[in-house]
Amino acid sequence: MKARLPQGMGGGPSNMQGMIRQAQKMQEQMTALQEELDAKEYEIKAGGGAVTVKMNGKKEVLGLELKPEIVDPDDIEMLTDVIVAAFNEAIRTVEETNAAEMSKVTGGMNIPGMF
């Protein structure tokens, strides 16, 4: 007894070549998009705008700005808390943006190791 594949499944070598071409095209799109996302710059503010973190899409810190009013020698703990919050928000923003943009190319497929 021969097993029958549902319509659109299988199809032999020509279908496999089409799938390979489609995967290669997707890979090229993902590579180009990743380069674009890596170059993108983000500016995240925390503490009511008193702390600004600048970061690129590779999560490299490009800059940190502190407004003078946030610097209180008697409350270093508050300053460090605001800086940590700003960095965490910047990283979260980069990751969410990268994931959302990549899912547009991959059609929502989860491809291990991509992000």
Side-chain angles (χ1 to χ4, degrees):
M1 182 169 158
K2 274 189 162 178
R4 291 182 159 237
L5 292 173
Q7 185 70 21
M9 298 297 289
S14 64
N15 191 26
M16 183 60 81
Q17 289 173 350
M19 288 175 57
I20 290 171
R21 278 194 299 275
Q22 187 176 14
Q24 287 171 335
K25 182 179 178 186
M26 183 187 295
Q27 183 178 12
E28 289 169 4
Q29 290 174 328
M30 290 170 59
T31 299
L33 179 59
Q34 189 62 57
E35 289 173 4
E36 184 181 316
L37 291 170
D38 287 349
K40 189 172 181 175
E41 293 185 8
Y42 299 82
E43 185 173 291
I44 306 298
K45 296 184 183 293
V51 174
T52 303
V53 172
K54 292 180 184 176
M55 184 176 282
N56 66 20
K58 292 189 267 185
K59 300 178 209 159
E60 297 171 334
V61 177
L62 304 175
L64 172 67
E65 295 176 22
L66 305 174
K67 290 198 175 176
E69 61 268 17
I70 194 77
V71 181
D72 179 358
D74 296 326
D75 195 2
I76 297 299
E77 185 177 345
M78 187 267 307
L79 175 60
T80 57
D81 288 347
V82 173
I83 292 172
V84 168
F87 278 106
N88 286 336
E89 183 59 29
I91 291 168
R92 193 171 18 262
T93 299
V94 170
E95 288 176 348
E96 288 174 358
T97 301
N98 288 354
E101 292 299 317
M102 276 297 174
S103 73
K104 290 178 186 176
V105 173
T106 64
M109 277 191 308
N110 186 10
I111 299 174
M114 282 310 297
F115 33 149

